[in-house]
Amino acid sequence: MKILKIALCLLLIVSLVGCKETDRQAAEASPSPVETAAPTASLTPTPEPTLSPEQLLEQRLAELEQGFEDSRNELAAGAWYTAEGGETPSFWGDSLYSTAAAPVQAEAVYGGLFSFGYINDGKVSMIGSGLGSREQIEAETDVAGLAIGANHLLLMHGDGTVTGYGNLTFGKCDTQDWAGIVEVEAGVWHSVGRTHNMHAVAVGSNDYGQCEVDGWSALIDIAAGLHHTVGLRYNGTVVAVGDNSYGQCEVEEWTDIIAVYCGANYTVGLKSDYTLIACGDNANGQCEVGGFTDVIAAACGAWHTVVKTADGELHYVGANTNGQFGAEAELVSAGEYIYGTETEAGPWFYLSQVGGIAICYDTTLEKSPLRADLFCTYGHLPYGAFAAQDFTMKTTALPAKIARQNDAVFAQTGDYIGHRGNRKGVMIRQGQLLYDENKTSTMAFFPDGTMRVFFQEEAITAEELLAEGVSDSFSFWPVLIKDGAFTDNLMEYSEYRPTSRSAIGMAEPYHFISVVTHCQYGMTYIDLAQQFLDYGCTVAYNLDGGNSTSMVFMGESISRVRYNYNEMIGQRSVSDVLMFCTSEAVPDENDPYLQEPVVNAPR
């Protein structure tokens, strides 16, 4: 037993030294209590039959320690989702997350709609909402780590400095004075950093004392929750400050800890024997982690905990109200993921290598329109599709059927090009010129990821648009928003009654927002324009509405059918739609619909 105890003690020291590459670098720069190299045994070696029980135990702990090292950046949990990184990323729940192929460092949490980021070769790539200019963020270089809070982003650079983006409330992005940082963590309202000399710094909301970390030392890990902060010391003990109303800071008795994690109001520790301990809010069972063994990674969301064991399996405890356990997630093909529901409540999500889609009802509004955020990548922008593959404009079909014919993941009402009479404008679809007439306004998608609108009096021509690389333009009316403000001609439509509307706007390059309302909760043009301003759009354009109004996800109409008092009228067959992303998982047009649509509503 004495040999066993010595082996365990040595393994604890070895595992603590090997927790992070940055700690090894720090140890080289300053005196360190241990200089033992981390073991490099594989996860599943075949034990030699001649090894003693003590040696077998030592070897198993070494295997787990290596698995822990390999998995530190492969698992993340946001408030309402779970994500696993690596070469084949996946996601579950109310948000999306992706990583590139290794080597990668990544973090992500729920950020209003969704946010994800990954680092590869010192550059950060991200998709998200409310975190600042994505163009500016992606211009950052020498990025060594990142953390995304509820509505702010921290980028840690190789020189130990940190830059912050997003909501500046409470000063949680005031990191300009930080130096020598080797780890960053983002709470909801505060930010925490760990320095190369194993101290901690914090900025942001300090209502509960969660930023009072100046006296901490010998730290090898940190974590941030809703209103509390946790630090792991080199000797395996844990310190915590901040809100303790749920007991989430009661960690003073913990020992032999090698990693710490924070949920909203609870704390989890990974022990040197690769089991877990937890304290704090357990209303959803998120702290019931004591039964897991051979744990090599863990992550905490707001109310759920994810555990990865050495066999590669993921385990979950806590709230699963939004599918964060993965039951509803579906791997379609390499790098392509969908999350949906057959109910009319949503939400719906899609992620692939070319773009992301997040759709939900905006329940903050009484009329609850459907909002779809379309996150694009270069060369993959929304475009038009037709009921007839040869662009025969008088051929019509239900929007969901057109989407299925074109394998479209997302579709919404277009400009009904086949029913425009003599009020046509500049119409280009998939690089093909259909009309070049100056009879109404025009909206076009440009290769730089922007969406621009042109009034009739600007007399834009198809030749000019094609010369700038435009492959799809639409012509309808009115222009709702231009240059971040109501347009003058919008007032011409101010007396139009509330009805079903379909429109699209741009929040930033490569990030478009679609809004579809329902007739029984219809909007005026003024209301619709105001909604796009509230969403942060600088430009917005109205498309065909009324009975044509529709939003489609994975071949199913998710917008409610039109009613005339108590009589169901349904959706109108149209000639064209605006669509984004394609997938082989979209049902064939002959497959049954989840809800049989009502066809050919009268115009």
Side-chain angles (χ1 to χ4, degrees):
M1 288 303 296
K2 185 176 180 180
I3 297 176
L4 174 60
K5 290 180 180 179
I6 293 173
L8 287 172
C9 290
L10 287 174
L11 255 298
L12 171 59
I13 294 172
V14 169
S15 63
L16 292 176
V17 173
C19 275
K20 293 186 178 180
E21 180 63 28
T22 52
D23 291 319
R24 285 194 284 267
Q25 294 171 352
E28 294 172 0
S30 60
S32 170
V34 179
E35 295 185 357
T36 307
T40 58
S42 66
L43 275 175
T44 56
T46 302
E48 293 292 335
T50 57
L51 293 179
S52 67
E54 290 83 0
Q55 290 172 321
L56 287 173
L57 176 60
E58 180 179 352
Q59 184 180 50
R60 182 55 179 160
L61 289 175
E63 296 164 8
L64 293 172
E65 196 273 344
Q66 184 60 45
F68 166 68
E69 281 293 304
D70 295 340
S71 300
R72 286 188 68 85
N73 292 315
E74 291 186 0
L75 199 62
W80 290 282
Y81 81 106
T82 299
E84 185 181 13
E87 294 188 7
T88 308
S90 55
F91 79 92
W92 302 269
D94 260 13
S95 197
L96 307 182
Y97 169 96
S98 175
T99 70
V104 163
Q105 293 179 342
E107 284 288 348
V109 296
Y110 188 74
L113 276 175
F114 69 76
S115 303
F116 76 76
Y118 63 81
I119 302 167
N120 203 1
D121 295 329
K123 292 187 176 181
V124 62
S125 297
M126 65 175 301
I127 289 177
S129 172
L131 297 175
S133 168
R134 196 172 82 207
E135 179 178 334
Q136 184 180 7
I137 292 169
E138 292 184 344
E140 295 276 6
T141 58
D142 191 29
V143 179
L146 63 83
I148 303 176
N151 49 20
H152 72 293
L153 165 71
L154 302 176
L155 296 181
M156 181 184 72
H157 299 278
D159 62 1
T161 60
V162 176
T163 54
Y165 293 93
N167 188 314
L168 305 180
T169 308
F170 302 115
K172 54 183 175 289
C173 292
D174 294 343
T175 60
Q176 58 272 12
D177 295 329
W178 287 8
I181 303 299
V182 295
E183 180 185 2
V184 288
E185 291 292 336
V188 175
W189 304 115
H190 71 297
S191 303
V192 185
R194 182 170 59 87
T195 66
H196 68 90
N197 60 357
M198 302 183 181
H199 292 287
V201 290
V203 293
S205 173
N206 195 34
D207 292 348
Y208 296 87
Q210 61 265 44
C211 291
E212 298 175 4
V213 298
D214 292 344
W216 290 2
S217 62
L219 297 175
I220 62 170
D221 199 10
I222 53 173
L226 178 60
H227 298 300
H228 75 295
T229 305
V230 177
L232 172 61
R233 288 192 171 123
Y234 207 97
N235 62 1
T237 62
V238 182
V239 290
V241 292
D243 181 19
N244 194 35
S245 56
Y246 293 90
Q248 61 265 48
C249 292
E250 296 176 3
V251 296
E252 61 276 0
E253 301 297 326
W254 288 8
T255 58
D256 297 342
I257 305 298
I258 62 173
V260 287
Y261 315 92
C262 282
N265 294 303
Y266 71 104
T267 305
V268 175
L270 178 60
K271 303 187 71 174
S272 61
D273 63 355
Y274 297 93
T275 61
L276 295 169
I277 188 173
C279 64
D281 180 16
N282 193 36
N284 295 285
Q286 59 266 44
C287 289
E288 296 174 5
V289 296
F292 295 112
T293 59
D294 289 358
V295 177
I296 58 173
C300 297
W303 304 287
H304 76 291
T305 304
V306 193
V307 177
K308 185 175 184 179
T309 50
D311 57 7
E313 294 295 319
L314 294 178
H315 311 271
Y316 314 85
V317 292
N320 190 34
T321 52
N322 296 86
Q324 47 269 59
F325 289 7
E328 301 295 334
E330 179 180 352
L331 171 61
V332 181
S333 62
E336 184 180 18
Y337 304 89
I338 60 173
Y339 171 84
T341 172
E342 295 186 5
T343 70
E344 64 176 18
W348 302 266
F349 296 106
Y350 174 84
L351 179 65
S352 72
Q353 296 177 352
V354 302
I357 302 168
I359 308 174
C360 62
Y361 282 102
D362 189 342
T363 55
T364 63
L365 299 176
E366 180 182 356
K367 299 174 182 179
S368 298
L370 271 169
R371 167 179 172 164
D373 283 67
L374 312 178
F375 296 93
C376 311
T377 56
Y378 180 79
H380 300 277
L381 299 174
Y383 62 98
F386 283 77
Q389 297 296 324
D390 60 356
F391 289 17
T392 304
M393 298 170 206
K394 292 298 182 181
T395 301
T396 63
L398 284 175
K401 185 174 182 179
I402 300 177
R404 290 186 177 206
Q405 290 171 341
N406 290 274
D407 293 331
V409 175
F410 169 86
Q412 75 176 100
T413 311
D415 60 10
Y416 206 158
I417 190 173
H419 192 84
R420 296 296 306 284
N422 63 356
R423 195 173 182 180
K424 294 183 174 69
V426 179
M427 297 184 179
I428 303 170
R429 302 297 161 83
Q430 300 180 32
Q432 180 174 332
L433 174 60
L434 303 180
Y435 289 100
D436 189 9
E437 301 179 7
N438 185 29
K439 295 184 178 181
T440 187
S441 60
T442 298
M443 179 272 287
F445 296 103
F446 285 75
D448 62 358
T450 61
M451 166 186 157
R452 306 178 204 172
V453 292
F454 305 90
F455 296 115
Q456 183 179 356
E457 53 267 27
E458 294 180 76
I460 190 71
T461 66
E463 182 180 357
E464 292 173 300
L465 294 180
L466 289 169
E468 292 199 49
V470 170
S471 59
D472 285 85
S473 68
F474 296 77
S475 288
F476 209 78
W477 64 89
V479 175
L480 300 172
I481 300 294
K482 188 172 184 177
D483 298 326
F486 284 171
T487 61
D488 292 337
N489 74 332
L490 183 63
M491 302 312 296
E492 299 175 14
Y493 302 90
S494 61
E495 296 182 0
Y496 276 60
R497 63 183 174 82
T499 189
S500 300
R501 307 287 183 196
S502 174
I504 190 168
M506 182 187 75
E508 62 177 343
Y510 298 104
H511 177 191
F512 306 100
I513 297 179
S514 165
V515 175
V516 165
T517 67
H518 310 289
C519 188
Q520 60 267 45
Y521 306 114
M523 283 186 175
T524 66
Y525 288 123
I526 300 296
D527 289 340
L528 186 59
Q530 182 61 55
Q531 199 56 51
F532 279 103
L533 284 179
D534 293 343
Y535 288 152
C537 292
T538 57
V539 59
Y541 193 74
N542 186 68
L543 296 166
D544 190 23
N547 283 2
S548 301
T549 306
S550 183
M551 183 179 289
V552 178
F553 178 76
M554 295 303 296
E556 304 290 343
S557 177
I558 57 175
S559 53
R560 297 165 188 157
V561 296
R562 177 181 168 90
Y563 283 86
N564 183 14
Y565 298 102
N566 293 323
E567 178 186 0
M568 181 184 294
I569 298 175
Q571 295 172 336
R572 176 189 298 130
S573 289
V574 295
S575 58
D576 62 294
V577 298
L578 181 154
M579 71 182 213
F580 177 59
C581 283
T582 60
S583 171
E584 295 181 359
V586 175
D588 184 84
E589 60 181 293
N590 296 319
D591 289 347
Y593 290 83
L594 295 180
Q595 295 179 348
E596 189 66 27
V598 180
V599 298
N600 295 327
R603 186 167 185 83

